[in-house]
Amino acid sequence: MSFNTFGHSFRVTTFGESHGPAIGCVVDGCPPRLPLSESDIQPYLDRRRPGQSRFTTQRQEPDVVKILSGVCPDEATGKQVTTGTPIALVIDNLDQRTKDYTDIKDKYRPGHADYTYDAKYGVRDYRGGGRQSARETATRVAAGAIARKIVPGLQVRGALVQIGPHRIDRRRWDWAEVERNPFFCPDAEQAAFFADYLEGVRKRGSSIGAVIEVVAEGVPVGLGAPIYGKLDADLAAALMSINAVKGVEIGAGFRAAELAGEESNDEMRMGKDDRPVFLSNHAGGILGGISTGQPVVARFAVKATSSIPVPRRTVDRYGKETEIVTTGRHDPCVGIRAVPVGEAMMACVLADHYLRQRGQVGETPHWPFAPKPR
Ligand SMILES: Cc1cc2nc3c(=O)[nH]c(=O)nc-3n(C[C@H](O)[C@H](O)[C@H](O)COP(=O)(O)O)c2cc1C
């Protein structure tokens, strides 16, 4: 299997399967002398960890990260810092329950990747889905924690804004609320509704999709290359690479089609510090593939968990039509734990583009660009 790496200057390679001994990643290209220890990474993994509420899978994984390479103590400060060499991170798998999968080992779960893996490779690891499993996304969250250290002043936050057809009320958006409920939802009232709603979904043995919004603030102007290295294109690819993601929007996204030019253009004025400011952000902080300095805003749609205990029609590896009932431990709404994963992918893409920008152009912004007319 090839293509387990993403990024150019900040490169992340992940490895491991759901029921193997461990998962992990190698982060290559991280600048030297950044303070880095496990305690910088662990809090992000703790947010994604399974088994923390009845609305996520009951698999109990402590997800404790170990740094195997790429760091050493800094003589001056005594702190552990990056050395500029590959940083290898490993997370043990401790709560595999392979027997949950023996009944369905020859059957293809509709909506999952069992069929395509088998058709492509002629072999598939049925134990927890092997490499198809979103267990792999824990390693992206670990890499994202390192990425967050690279762009000075960057803040990347994600929030769940819709479950099934039920959207939050944006007037009640409160970032502090995201850390207070099990849904990463910024609307306290809607989070209370989601609790009842999802309980019903779970009890029916069903599952449901969700929409997540990720906002990056403190993004410098100038990140992204205008043709084949557009910041929005790389961001879309990174978010689309998350398991179960079926749609990505930047800024106004699909609603941009409904807006007239005078509505969708983000008008400009001069701000206090002699820099331009935009009066709206329909562009989602990106114009011509290059960051504007406004918040970068992306949303992604996550489909319903495919592994459900409701009987579904399928076929097996031998071409026989059959039924499948998928029991075991699954997230009733995988969109919830996708929030920290979306944040991590945004952070990795921005770190990559920040380093690429520094390599080619140096520090940005080059403002003012033109000398003032006399
Ligand atoms: C955080 C997270 C957790 C997931 N947990 C499950 C799960 O418990 N059961 C399941 O069937 N799919 C789960 N998925 C989705 C599958 O991994 C995904 O549907 C599968 O790999 C097929 O890929 P695709 O849906 O992108 O086509 C999860 C996805 C994410 C992002």
Side-chain angles (χ1 to χ4, degrees):
M1 181 187 290
S2 54
F3 297 104
N4 292 284
T5 302
F6 66 95
H8 293 264
S9 292
F10 183 83
R11 278 174 91 75
V12 180
T13 303
T14 74
F15 61 86
E17 288 82 28
S18 178
H19 287 201
I23 51 174
C25 65
V26 176
V27 175
D28 202 2
C30 181
R33 299 186 305 279
L34 291 178
L36 181 69
S37 67
E38 278 92 351
S39 63
D40 294 312
I41 303 172
Q42 196 59 50
Y44 295 103
L45 284 169
D46 291 345
R47 289 176 80 230
R48 182 209 159 275
R49 194 157 56 82
Q52 299 195 84
S53 82
R54 64 184 193 281
F55 307 112
T56 59
T57 170
Q58 293 309 300
R59 182 168 169 172
Q60 295 296 331
E61 289 289 354
D63 279 355
V64 174
V65 67
K66 243 186 299 179
I67 303 178
L68 300 185
S69 66
V71 290
C72 76
D74 177 32
E75 274 180 36
T77 62
K79 276 192 177 169
Q80 183 167 278
V81 293
T82 57
T83 56
T85 62
I87 303 167
L89 305 173
V90 72
I91 301 165
D92 288 336
N93 286 330
L94 297 175
D95 188 25
Q96 307 95 322
R97 217 190 272 165
T98 296
K99 69 173 168 37
D100 284 352
Y101 292 85
T102 43
D103 282 353
I104 58 163
K105 80 180 180 44
D106 294 327
K107 297 182 182 180
Y108 299 132
R109 284 172 292 174
H112 218 293
D114 302 340
Y115 166 66
T116 47
Y117 267 56
D118 216 5
K120 181 175 173 72
Y121 298 109
V123 56
R124 88 180 163 93
D125 184 352
Y126 70 86
R127 305 163 310 156
R131 184 85 177 143
Q132 314 155 16
S133 165
R135 181 97 193 102
E136 183 267 351
T137 60
T139 69
R140 307 181 190 208
V141 172
I146 300 175
R148 284 173 194 263
K149 291 178 157 258
I150 289 173
V151 186
L154 177 71
Q155 183 180 35
V156 179
R157 295 184 288 189
L160 183 146
V161 297
Q162 185 176 337
I163 294 186
H166 306 289
R167 292 178 169 81
I168 63 156
D169 181 338
R170 286 180 170 266
R171 289 167 305 184
R172 294 194 295 252
W173 189 299
D174 176 3
W175 279 113
E177 193 53 42
V178 168
E179 304 304 322
R180 287 193 209 117
N181 63 67
F183 308 104
F184 301 109
C185 177
D187 172 356
E189 213 170 288
Q190 194 65 344
F193 169 81
F194 286 157
D196 285 343
Y197 175 70
L198 261 190
E199 187 60 13
V201 169
R202 196 176 64 86
K203 282 194 172 142
R204 285 200 303 280
S206 187
S207 61
I208 193 75
V211 177
I212 290 92
E213 183 161 316
V214 186
V215 181
E217 285 162 290
V219 180
V221 61
L223 305 195
I227 308 292
Y228 299 115
K230 290 185 176 185
L231 184 59
D232 37 2
D234 283 356
L235 199 49
L239 295 174
M240 191 56 102
S241 78
I242 301 171
N243 310 46
V245 172
K246 284 310 224 185
V248 178
E249 292 186 330
I250 311 286
F254 273 75
R255 215 175 70 80
E258 297 167 23
L259 299 177
E262 61 272 28
E263 295 169 303
S264 85
N265 298 346
D266 300 314
E267 292 180 275
M268 299 175 79
R269 278 280 169 258
M270 283 311 294
K272 283 196 209 93
D273 56 356
D274 216 20
R275 300 250 176 105
V277 291
F278 294 88
L279 306 185
S280 54
N281 190 11
H282 296 112
I286 304 172
L287 288 171
I290 300 171
S291 60
T292 61
Q294 287 190 287
V296 172
V297 182
R299 273 176 305 283
F300 58 97
V302 178
K303 73 186 191 189
T305 322
S306 58
S307 305
I308 46 173
V310 179
R312 300 278 85 195
R313 286 170 293 181
T314 190
V315 300
D316 67 16
R317 306 191 74 188
Y318 310 105
K320 197 170 128 266
E321 291 182 353
T322 180
E323 272 204 348
I324 187 165
V325 172
T326 308
T327 51
R329 301 165 298 175
H330 297 278
D331 290 275
C333 175
V334 297
I336 301 170
R337 290 197 305 126
V339 175
V341 184
E343 290 178 0
M345 294 310 281
M346 169 82 89
C348 287
V349 169
L350 291 173
D352 186 38
H353 275 280
Y354 178 78
L355 295 176
R356 286 160 69 175
Q357 165 72 1
R358 245 180 25 181
Q360 191 198 12
V361 183
E363 296 297 332
T364 45
H366 296 286
W367 180 263
F369 294 99
K372 282 198 177 119
R374 287 167 199 260

